[in-house]
Amino acid sequence: MSTAADLRAKLLLAQANGEDDTIKLVHGTYLVDNAPFTFDSTETFGLTIHGGFDSACTQTVQDPRFTILDGAHSHAVFRSQSAGSLVLRYMTMQNGTNNGSAGGGIQIYGTGANSSVVLAVNILRNNTSDFAACVGFIDVEGVVHLNGNLVIDNSTPAAGGLSIDAGPNALIYVTNNTIANNTTGNASAGFLYIPGSNNAVPNAYFSNNIMWNNAAGSDVQFFGTGMQFNNNDIEVVDGFQTAGSSANLSQNPVFASATDFHLSPSSPLLGIGLLAPTGGIPGVDLEGHPRTYNGHVDLGAYERGDEIFTNGYD
C-alpha cells in the first residue's frame, strides 16, 4: 500500500474476506481525510499492519520514522473493532484529535475472547483529546503486548493518556517503552491507566520501561493487586506492586536532550534491563538496531549499543 486510499480499501477488504490479513505499508505519510483509518470486523481472523516497506513491498526498514499515519489535527488516527488479533508495527501515529470522546490517536476494541493486540516499535506523538485518553485506548479480552514504543508530547486537559482495559483473564505485557513529556489535566489520574485485576497471580508485567516527566497525577496508575514491575525507571507509580516486583528506579534517565529520548552516555539506565522478562523483549529497538548489546539491554525504546557503528563510522 502506498496511498491513504489504498490503505482504506485494503482495510475494508480485510474486514470480511474470511482469512488473516497482512497490510504492508510503503514508507511515506498517510493523511487521514474525513475519518480515522478504520477496521471493523466480526470475524476472528487477524490483521497485521507493518510499516517501512520499499515500493515493491519486498524489503522493510524496521524504523517507525519512515511510515507515518497522520490525523492532521482533525480526526483520530486509527480505529479498530474486531474479534481477532491486531498487530501494529513500525509506524508513527501522530497528530490525532478526538474531541467529545476518548482516544485521540488510537481506538482499539476487542469483541471476543480471542481479541488481542500487539503494539510494537511505534511512535505515538502529538495526539490530543478534550475528553480523555489523548494517546488512545485498548480494550480487549486476550493478550496485550505494548513493546518498544516511544510515546511523547501527547496532551489532554482531562484525564489519562493511554488506557489499557483488558478482560479479567487477560495478560498484559508492557516492555521497553519510553513514555515521556506527555500532559494531562487531571492531577489524580495516571498517564498510563490500567483499571487492573484482583488476580493473586499477576496479569500485567512491566519490564525495562522509562516513564518520565509526564505532567499527570502519576506516570502509571492501576487498581487491584495483579501488577508486577521489574527493572523500570518510573517517576511516579500509583498502585500496589505485587510480590516479585524488583529492581525499579525513580531517577533522571539522562536523555540526550529535552527532545531526543536516546539515553546519553552518562545515563544510569544503560545495560540494566532484563534480558528475558516475562513476555519477552522486542527483536529490535526503535531504529531497527539489535535490541541487546554485549549481553545487556538498556531501559526504554532505544538501545545505545555500539555507537561507533550506529552513527555510520567504519
Side-chain angles (χ1 to χ4, degrees), residues 59-71:
Q59 298 183 19
T60 183
V61 176
Q62 296 172 321
D63 188 327
R65 294 174 297 175
F66 302 120
T67 305
I68 300 170
L69 306 186
D70 195 316

Side-chain angles (χ1 to χ4, degrees), residues 50-135:
H50 277 192
F53 279 89
D54 63 6
S55 59
C57 285
T58 57
Q59 298 183 19
T60 183
V61 176
Q62 296 172 321
D63 188 327
R65 294 174 297 175
F66 302 120
T67 305
I68 300 170
L69 306 186
D70 195 316
H73 302 290
S74 61
H75 297 280
V77 177
F78 180 81
R79 181 185 184 277
S80 171
Q81 182 166 319
S82 170
S85 63
L86 175 68
V87 179
L88 303 176
R89 284 196 175 103
Y90 316 131
M91 295 179 288
T92 293
M93 288 166 273
Q94 67 180 27
N95 299 333
T97 297
N98 191 32
N99 293 327
S101 60
I106 58 173
Q107 305 166 10
I108 299 173
Y109 300 91
T111 56
N114 296 320
S115 59
S116 63
V117 174
V118 174
L119 189 65
V121 194
N122 299 290
I123 299 172
L124 296 104
R125 66 185 179 198
N126 298 331
N127 299 291
T128 65
S129 170
D130 68 356
F131 186 84
C134 51
V135 176

